[in-house]
Amino acid sequence: MLNYILKRLVYMIPTLIGMSIISFAIIQLPPGDYLTSLLSTLADGGSPIDPATVERLRSQYGLDQPVWIQYGKWMLGILTRGDFGFSFEWNQPVSEVIWSRMGSTLAISFAALLLVWAVSLPIGIYSAVRRNSIGDHVFTFFGFIGLAVPNFILALTLMYVSFRVFGQSVGGLFSPEYVDAPWSPAKLWDLILHLWIPILVIGMSGTASMIRILRANLTDELSKPYVTTARAKGLPEYKVIVKYPVRIALNPFVSAIGWVLPELVSGVTITAIVLNLPTAGPLLLRALVAQDMYLAGSFILLLSVLTLIGMLVSDILLALLDPRIRYN
Amino acid sequence: MEKPVLSVENLNLDFHLRTHILHAVRDVSFDLHRGRTLALVGESGSGKSVTARSLMRIVDKPGVMVGGRIILRTQGREVDLAQLASNSPEVRAVRGARIGLIFQEPMSSLSPVHTIGSQIDEVVRLHSKIDKRAARARTVELLGQVEIPDPAEMADRYTFEFSGGMRQRAMIAMALAVNPDILIADEPTTALDVTTQAEILDLIKRLQTERGMAMLLITHDMGVVAEVADDVAVMRFGRIVETGTVDEIFHAPKHAYTQRLLASTLKLEQPADARAEAVITPQPLLTVKGLTKVYGGAKGFLGTKKFALKAVDDVSLVLHAGENLGVVGESGSGKTTLGRLILRIVEPTEGQVLYRQKDGKEIDVTALSKSELRKFHADVRLIFQDPFASLNPRMTIRQIIGDPLVVEGKLSARQIEEKTAELLRLVGLSPDVMERYPHAFSGGQRQRIGIARALALDPRIIIADEATSALDVSIRSQILDLLLEIQSHLDLSFIFISHDISVVRYFCDRVAVMHRGKLVEIGPAEKICTTPDEDYTRALISAVPNPDPRNKRMLHRTRLASLSTSTVC
Amino acid sequence: MTLTPALDAKLAEDGPAISGLKPGMDPISDAAAGQWTLIWRKFLNQKVALFCGGVILVLYLIGAFAEFLAPGLPDTSRAQYTYAPPQSIGLFTPDGQFQLHVKGYTVAIDKAALRRTFVVDENIIVPVGLFVEGPTYKFWGMFEANRHLIGPLDPTQTMYLLGADRLGRDLLSRLIYGTRISMSIGLIGVCMSLFLGVVLGSISGYFGGWIDTVIQRVIEVVSAMPTIPLWLGLAAAIPLTWSPIHVYFVITIIVSLLGWTGLAREVRGRFFSLRNEDFVTAAKLDGSSERRVIFRHILPSLTSHILAVTTLAVPSMIIAETSLSFLGVGLKAPVVSWGVLLQDAQNIRSISTAPWLLIWPSLAVVIAVLSFNFFGDGLRDAADPYET
């Protein structure tokens, strides 16, 4: 088991390197280097430019050196000092800005993942077992809608509906009066009132695809001989299904995190922009529009790492569930 | 005579399929008596398996029971199972408790993610209200009864840690857990090697007599029937065509189908009459020298040394012109790999394959370039085991048989068509079927098409890899006769790879026996099949069931110490 | 041994007992039906997929004949009609005459909210006709014409069937023009994806070894990264000075760049499993070269799957374009796409004033995506007619 986890960890390293290269490439994409943008911004603002600072930054990020050295310096900075570069828009090191935003991104993604599981598991089982029943068709239809409506449209629609029906504005995580208030049950309730829309929006398409996966896998498993064996034992039908095929169809269900998670993180990004949530999304968009590239690149890198960690967790869960993986 | 423990009366079952309704079981009636074994015999599609399942009311969709009675007489009560809902508590109380079931494929019939012990505990606890610990004690006792070594420890292992034979033993333990009155064994040994088959049949038979159970044995193998059954019912296309005691069926069959089935089986118990004497030439056609294939063994990830497997270990043999050489062995013996190594579908690790061309020049196949290899493949052809997988479903029969000719590029389109028609006639099919697709043909017909394709390039050697094992016994002998007939007017040699000793005996001049990658023994077919020199061969031969109930072979078989205790893999 | 005639008759049975699904119906035979016939038969059974195929066709036709179908031009703005609500077509005028028409507006000032509101004025009748002459356009950028399928008889009058946006532009016309851009991005994007997938897949399969490993790892890395941040990062790098057509192509490339991984993975997986099929081994032993094996035996078995997977990839392309444009880093005015239209519905203020700006473009996106999903699903189910 430990050996297996270790293997997965080692296997992650090239993927991590790949992700960091892509993130760095995005930093490098806009014309002109980061310092020219910084200088022009500062000049626009009329702030005095200290040539010494410019020189220090230039050598710190290796801007006068070949690209791969710049990449090396960036990575070295991250790995040794936790230094992701400098955000000229915020006039702060990126690391100062980024962590709180990543925290809320993680929290919302995780909540959405729990919702995906909690909803798709029973529905998936129902749909597979009662294949082609009316309930199955209804769920399948809603599943398709869930897949077809892009996150941001769903967010806008729910925003409009909630505005119309409840007369409530749903942007942000708190109503204005609670933003700076200390934590209290009322504030928590306010948070929950604000949070259900983003979590629903983010979880929707993931739930739909998980239902489809579970339904397909479970349908396959239901026709396997071991199900007949379980029936031949005299087990009641629900026990036959829950103990055997469902248990085995859970494996692909768990390992599907691997690609549901990137989707969720993706969804958090765009939903947060629409609903103005304090996660990485709005900041990333702003950074990109302003070409604050170290901030943007760092966000992209960290969001990718987040999904990678999620995949590792799913691998470990899978090994716990499936002895065949554990023992090989 | 005591009343039968189970009576089936006029059972009818339909399957509603996409294009038609299949009447899979029609007016089937039979009785099961305590302490006796009824064998339900039939070829594939005869409806025997569905019949067995309907006794437990576990027929899968789209099967529907449309009539009949299934009377179960146990514990002093009579119940008609056919009248009950398939999921009613009454039926569930019968399943596993009054009727136990063993399947063909023990690997897929057991859950891969639960330990063997927990799967048996479950059935024990379900039908007798005892606690966990007592159930486990019972499980361990059962595993001991089915001769699983170290049962307490093995109970905590998973299915994939058991060997095939061990899995089937576990399955038997599960079926017998609650002392059922009836045991249904659905092709219980078909997926197993002959030596394992003999052990499992022994075990089932012994447990049945000890417990006085009634047994319903489903099988296609007349040999197994003769060894195990007391009564026989022969099924064909959903009907029982004949019933009788095993002696009546084997020695005085009344129905023409039974007679034909027996004839095809018995025919394979001796060498074919049609076989021409092979001329042993001083210069062999094909020489295999020290052929070896090692899988794995390279340094693995994280520097761990990976497990190396010698699939074929230093095999040397020769094939003469006009000769039929059989290669027999159990699964994992390396016989299929050997065939593929000769053709270089799999690259050998070591060794040589020398082939004497038409011009008399001997070439080393292992050193051929790609284009030379292509020429070699025109002379040496392969017939596959699975007639369904080996024909491209998207091509017509004309395209499939003509493909090697098209690639060869020597003939015009018209000539290719003529040759294809001729080949079809040669394998006993009408040239009219040329525009059809493989899905329109039965397994035997498809195998004929595969043979026609192999013959298209006028080969000199044909390697037949389990070419008849996917076929029913009557079709099997037809195909073998077809191959012999073709051989009689074409200049052909065969390497016939098979796990089925009777087929090899019927077809081959010489036989090579393989075991765990090594060549154990090679010699004339008659000698290998009657008086072999090696212990392994003797054990193998004597484990083959004999289709004669008056002369049961398996009971007096030679056992190898190393074989009878199958080990955990 | 002699047989009774009854037994003889039973032996004459040469197949299992079957009967038609309904009394008097013969079982269906497909002995001489090829792959595509079988796929087609299987597909015809899927009514929903068939219907969705029709919807997709209609959408592409709308895109193709946008200039003619749209009542007006997409960028004619009329400041006095800011956020004018949708009008509905009436058949009979108040005096009982048959005349297609819409009712005009009068403007009232909402004193409390300090903004203008439109009230439908029953007295103003704007006659509407089919095949009317309207604003002049260049059909496909080539032929000048001024016929429109529907529009006000008097070109100086206005008709807002789906309402107007902030600049008083006709949403219906914009939606129709947007269909062209959004649907074509899906199609072109998927073609590029397919091209990339096939090229890289072939390289991967042909050379094998470390090249295969590298390509596989790249696919793995790209598919593990969350798409929207990545899209944003790439799209944000497009210089603002580029021409719309330039941006259009770069966006298509970006969208397809990230879409090909799934496609490549699927195709590769199927390719490798087919490579081990007996019939492929047989083809090799028949003397076929590697290339012939691939083109004659493997690809024909793959095409139907590729077709299905490709169809299923179109919706993600459409959603990608829409999302990027909506966020302001994709297509930009004056190009009109569904995403660009949705940009006008970005905040709750404009949505609550003019909900139609959200409703209609969203509906277009959802219908397109849904149709492609159902259609592709039907294709996929029909793609392998040989599985049992």
Side-chain angles (χ1 to χ4, degrees), chain B residues 462-481:
Chain B
I462 287 182
I463 299 178
D465 183 5
E466 299 275 14
T468 57
S469 28
L471 307 174
D472 282 326
V473 60
S474 52
I475 315 285
R476 189 178 300 166
S477 59
Q478 284 171 19
I479 294 288
L480 290 173
D481 285 341

PDB file of all heavy atoms in Angstrom, chain B residues 462-481:
ATOM      1  N   ILE B 462       0.241 -25.549 -41.830  1.00  0.00           N
ATOM      2  CA  ILE B 462      -0.809 -24.797 -41.154  1.00  0.00           C
ATOM      3  C   ILE B 462      -0.675 -25.034 -39.662  1.00  0.00           C
ATOM      4  O   ILE B 462      -0.589 -26.182 -39.202  1.00  0.00           O
ATOM      5  CB  ILE B 462      -2.212 -25.210 -41.642  1.00  0.00           C
ATOM      6  CG1 ILE B 462      -2.424 -24.660 -43.061  1.00  0.00           C
ATOM      7  CG2 ILE B 462      -3.288 -24.666 -40.714  1.00  0.00           C
ATOM      8  CD1 ILE B 462      -3.772 -24.945 -43.632  1.00  0.00           C
ATOM      9  N   ILE B 463      -0.600 -23.929 -38.934  1.00  0.00           N
ATOM     10  CA  ILE B 463      -0.580 -24.032 -37.480  1.00  0.00           C
ATOM     11  C   ILE B 463      -2.016 -23.790 -37.010  1.00  0.00           C
ATOM     12  O   ILE B 463      -2.570 -22.717 -37.233  1.00  0.00           O
ATOM     13  CB  ILE B 463       0.382 -23.004 -36.857  1.00  0.00           C
ATOM     14  CG1 ILE B 463       1.802 -23.267 -37.358  1.00  0.00           C
ATOM     15  CG2 ILE B 463       0.310 -23.053 -35.341  1.00  0.00           C
ATOM     16  CD1 ILE B 463       2.836 -22.293 -36.845  1.00  0.00           C
ATOM     17  N   ALA B 464      -2.629 -24.816 -36.416  1.00  0.00           N
ATOM     18  CA  ALA B 464      -4.015 -24.674 -35.973  1.00  0.00           C
ATOM     19  C   ALA B 464      -4.002 -24.529 -34.463  1.00  0.00           C
ATOM     20  O   ALA B 464      -3.657 -25.459 -33.744  1.00  0.00           O
ATOM     21  CB  ALA B 464      -4.821 -25.888 -36.400  1.00  0.00           C
ATOM     22  N   ASP B 465      -4.330 -23.313 -33.991  1.00  0.00           N
ATOM     23  CA  ASP B 465      -4.229 -23.023 -32.568  1.00  0.00           C
ATOM     24  C   ASP B 465      -5.589 -23.225 -31.915  1.00  0.00           C
ATOM     25  O   ASP B 465      -6.445 -22.368 -32.009  1.00  0.00           O
ATOM     26  CB  ASP B 465      -3.738 -21.581 -32.385  1.00  0.00           C
ATOM     27  CG  ASP B 465      -3.535 -21.245 -30.924  1.00  0.00           C
ATOM     28  OD1 ASP B 465      -3.673 -22.151 -30.078  1.00  0.00           O
ATOM     29  OD2 ASP B 465      -3.242 -20.073 -30.623  1.00  0.00           O
ATOM     30  N   GLU B 466      -5.795 -24.358 -31.280  1.00  0.00           N
ATOM     31  CA  GLU B 466      -7.076 -24.681 -30.640  1.00  0.00           C
ATOM     32  C   GLU B 466      -8.225 -24.471 -31.632  1.00  0.00           C
ATOM     33  O   GLU B 466      -9.288 -23.972 -31.273  1.00  0.00           O
ATOM     34  CB  GLU B 466      -7.306 -23.777 -29.412  1.00  0.00           C
ATOM     35  CG  GLU B 466      -6.265 -23.920 -28.326  1.00  0.00           C
ATOM     36  CD  GLU B 466      -6.558 -25.079 -27.372  1.00  0.00           C
ATOM     37  OE1 GLU B 466      -7.408 -25.930 -27.702  1.00  0.00           O
ATOM     38  OE2 GLU B 466      -5.909 -25.144 -26.317  1.00  0.00           O
ATOM     39  N   ALA B 467      -7.981 -24.863 -32.874  1.00  0.00           N
ATOM     40  CA  ALA B 467      -8.910 -24.495 -33.939  1.00  0.00           C
ATOM     41  C   ALA B 467     -10.299 -25.082 -33.744  1.00  0.00           C
ATOM     42  O   ALA B 467     -11.262 -24.607 -34.333  1.00  0.00           O
ATOM     43  CB  ALA B 467      -8.360 -24.936 -35.289  1.00  0.00           C
ATOM     44  N   THR B 468     -10.436 -26.122 -32.925  1.00  0.00           N
ATOM     45  CA  THR B 468     -11.758 -26.737 -32.777  1.00  0.00           C
ATOM     46  C   THR B 468     -12.316 -26.602 -31.369  1.00  0.00           C
ATOM     47  O   THR B 468     -13.403 -27.087 -31.089  1.00  0.00           O
ATOM     48  CB  THR B 468     -11.686 -28.234 -33.117  1.00  0.00           C
ATOM     49  OG1 THR B 468     -10.713 -28.836 -32.265  1.00  0.00           O
ATOM     50  CG2 THR B 468     -11.314 -28.457 -34.558  1.00  0.00           C
ATOM     51  N   SER B 469     -11.598 -25.925 -30.475  1.00  0.00           N
ATOM     52  CA  SER B 469     -12.062 -25.975 -29.089  1.00  0.00           C
ATOM     53  C   SER B 469     -13.277 -25.094 -28.830  1.00  0.00           C
ATOM     54  O   SER B 469     -13.973 -25.290 -27.845  1.00  0.00           O
ATOM     55  CB  SER B 469     -10.944 -25.658 -28.105  1.00  0.00           C
ATOM     56  OG  SER B 469      -9.995 -24.840 -28.675  1.00  0.00           O
ATOM     57  N   ALA B 470     -13.535 -24.111 -29.701  1.00  0.00           N
ATOM     58  CA  ALA B 470     -14.712 -23.284 -29.470  1.00  0.00           C
ATOM     59  C   ALA B 470     -15.970 -23.921 -30.074  1.00  0.00           C
ATOM     60  O   ALA B 470     -17.043 -23.345 -30.014  1.00  0.00           O
ATOM     61  CB  ALA B 470     -14.494 -21.891 -30.050  1.00  0.00           C
ATOM     62  N   LEU B 471     -15.811 -25.109 -30.660  1.00  0.00           N
ATOM     63  CA  LEU B 471     -16.938 -25.688 -31.406  1.00  0.00           C
ATOM     64  C   LEU B 471     -17.581 -26.839 -30.648  1.00  0.00           C
ATOM     65  O   LEU B 471     -16.949 -27.502 -29.829  1.00  0.00           O
ATOM     66  CB  LEU B 471     -16.430 -26.190 -32.760  1.00  0.00           C
ATOM     67  CG  LEU B 471     -15.667 -25.172 -33.603  1.00  0.00           C
ATOM     68  CD1 LEU B 471     -15.087 -25.838 -34.836  1.00  0.00           C
ATOM     69  CD2 LEU B 471     -16.576 -24.021 -34.006  1.00  0.00           C
ATOM     70  N   ASP B 472     -18.840 -27.069 -30.950  1.00  0.00           N
ATOM     71  CA  ASP B 472     -19.535 -28.212 -30.374  1.00  0.00           C
ATOM     72  C   ASP B 472     -18.958 -29.500 -30.935  1.00  0.00           C
ATOM     73  O   ASP B 472     -18.404 -29.525 -32.033  1.00  0.00           O
ATOM     74  CB  ASP B 472     -21.023 -28.148 -30.721  1.00  0.00           C
ATOM     75  CG  ASP B 472     -21.740 -27.161 -29.847  1.00  0.00           C
ATOM     76  OD1 ASP B 472     -21.360 -27.032 -28.670  1.00  0.00           O
ATOM     77  OD2 ASP B 472     -22.663 -26.494 -30.340  1.00  0.00           O
ATOM     78  N   VAL B 473     -19.163 -30.582 -30.185  1.00  0.00           N
ATOM     79  CA  VAL B 473     -18.463 -31.823 -30.530  1.00  0.00           C
ATOM     80  C   VAL B 473     -18.814 -32.330 -31.931  1.00  0.00           C
ATOM     81  O   VAL B 473     -17.935 -32.786 -32.671  1.00  0.00           O
ATOM     82  CB  VAL B 473     -18.699 -32.899 -29.443  1.00  0.00           C
ATOM     83  CG1 VAL B 473     -20.157 -33.206 -29.290  1.00  0.00           C
ATOM     84  CG2 VAL B 473     -17.899 -34.135 -29.731  1.00  0.00           C
ATOM     85  N   SER B 474     -20.077 -32.206 -32.342  1.00  0.00           N
ATOM     86  CA  SER B 474     -20.412 -32.736 -33.671  1.00  0.00           C
ATOM     87  C   SER B 474     -19.747 -31.909 -34.767  1.00  0.00           C
ATOM     88  O   SER B 474     -19.260 -32.448 -35.756  1.00  0.00           O
ATOM     89  CB  SER B 474     -21.927 -32.762 -33.862  1.00  0.00           C
ATOM     90  OG  SER B 474     -22.465 -31.505 -33.580  1.00  0.00           O
ATOM     91  N   ILE B 475     -19.716 -30.587 -34.551  1.00  0.00           N
ATOM     92  CA  ILE B 475     -19.050 -29.712 -35.519  1.00  0.00           C
ATOM     93  C   ILE B 475     -17.545 -29.962 -35.501  1.00  0.00           C
ATOM     94  O   ILE B 475     -16.876 -29.939 -36.526  1.00  0.00           O
ATOM     95  CB  ILE B 475     -19.308 -28.222 -35.171  1.00  0.00           C
ATOM     96  CG1 ILE B 475     -20.763 -27.971 -34.838  1.00  0.00           C
ATOM     97  CG2 ILE B 475     -18.819 -27.314 -36.268  1.00  0.00           C
ATOM     98  CD1 ILE B 475     -21.676 -27.951 -36.001  1.00  0.00           C
ATOM     99  N   ARG B 476     -17.042 -30.220 -34.292  1.00  0.00           N
ATOM    100  CA  ARG B 476     -15.608 -30.417 -34.130  1.00  0.00           C
ATOM    101  C   ARG B 476     -15.099 -31.545 -35.031  1.00  0.00           C
ATOM    102  O   ARG B 476     -14.119 -31.386 -35.755  1.00  0.00           O
ATOM    103  CB  ARG B 476     -15.326 -30.759 -32.666  1.00  0.00           C
ATOM    104  CG  ARG B 476     -13.882 -30.772 -32.289  1.00  0.00           C
ATOM    105  CD  ARG B 476     -13.719 -31.077 -30.820  1.00  0.00           C
ATOM    106  NE  ARG B 476     -14.392 -30.078 -29.993  1.00  0.00           N
ATOM    107  CZ  ARG B 476     -14.643 -30.234 -28.695  1.00  0.00           C
ATOM    108  NH1 ARG B 476     -14.292 -31.353 -28.089  1.00  0.00           N
ATOM    109  NH2 ARG B 476     -15.243 -29.297 -28.020  1.00  0.00           N
ATOM    110  N   SER B 477     -15.798 -32.695 -35.006  1.00  0.00           N
ATOM    111  CA  SER B 477     -15.291 -33.802 -35.815  1.00  0.00           C
ATOM    112  C   SER B 477     -15.459 -33.498 -37.303  1.00  0.00           C
ATOM    113  O   SER B 477     -14.638 -33.897 -38.114  1.00  0.00           O
ATOM    114  CB  SER B 477     -15.979 -35.103 -35.431  1.00  0.00           C
ATOM    115  OG  SER B 477     -17.368 -34.983 -35.611  1.00  0.00           O
ATOM    116  N   GLN B 478     -16.509 -32.747 -37.632  1.00  0.00           N
ATOM    117  CA  GLN B 478     -16.665 -32.351 -39.049  1.00  0.00           C
ATOM    118  C   GLN B 478     -15.477 -31.519 -39.527  1.00  0.00           C
ATOM    119  O   GLN B 478     -14.940 -31.732 -40.613  1.00  0.00           O
ATOM    120  CB  GLN B 478     -17.925 -31.513 -39.245  1.00  0.00           C
ATOM    121  CG  GLN B 478     -19.207 -32.306 -39.239  1.00  0.00           C
ATOM    122  CD  GLN B 478     -20.413 -31.383 -39.210  1.00  0.00           C
ATOM    123  OE1 GLN B 478     -20.309 -30.205 -39.535  1.00  0.00           O
ATOM    124  NE2 GLN B 478     -21.554 -31.925 -38.823  1.00  0.00           N
ATOM    125  N   ILE B 479     -15.074 -30.569 -38.689  1.00  0.00           N
ATOM    126  CA  ILE B 479     -13.965 -29.703 -39.091  1.00  0.00           C
ATOM    127  C   ILE B 479     -12.667 -30.504 -39.198  1.00  0.00           C
ATOM    128  O   ILE B 479     -11.884 -30.335 -40.137  1.00  0.00           O
ATOM    129  CB  ILE B 479     -13.807 -28.546 -38.068  1.00  0.00           C
ATOM    130  CG1 ILE B 479     -15.045 -27.627 -38.106  1.00  0.00           C
ATOM    131  CG2 ILE B 479     -12.543 -27.735 -38.334  1.00  0.00           C
ATOM    132  CD1 ILE B 479     -15.163 -26.757 -39.320  1.00  0.00           C
ATOM    133  N   LEU B 480     -12.469 -31.408 -38.231  1.00  0.00           N
ATOM    134  CA  LEU B 480     -11.255 -32.224 -38.291  1.00  0.00           C
ATOM    135  C   LEU B 480     -11.230 -33.069 -39.564  1.00  0.00           C
ATOM    136  O   LEU B 480     -10.206 -33.175 -40.239  1.00  0.00           O
ATOM    137  CB  LEU B 480     -11.165 -33.122 -37.060  1.00  0.00           C
ATOM    138  CG  LEU B 480     -10.888 -32.401 -35.740  1.00  0.00           C
ATOM    139  CD1 LEU B 480     -10.998 -33.366 -34.578  1.00  0.00           C
ATOM    140  CD2 LEU B 480      -9.510 -31.756 -35.766  1.00  0.00           C
ATOM    141  N   ASP B 481     -12.389 -33.666 -39.887  1.00  0.00           N
ATOM    142  CA  ASP B 481     -12.451 -34.464 -41.108  1.00  0.00           C
ATOM    143  C   ASP B 481     -12.198 -33.615 -42.341  1.00  0.00           C
ATOM    144  O   ASP B 481     -11.541 -34.047 -43.293  1.00  0.00           O
ATOM    145  CB  ASP B 481     -13.810 -35.162 -41.216  1.00  0.00           C
ATOM    146  CG  ASP B 481     -13.893 -36.341 -40.256  1.00  0.00           C
ATOM    147  OD1 ASP B 481     -12.819 -36.801 -39.811  1.00  0.00           O
ATOM    148  OD2 ASP B 481     -15.013 -36.770 -39.944  1.00  0.00           O
TER     149      ASP B 481
END
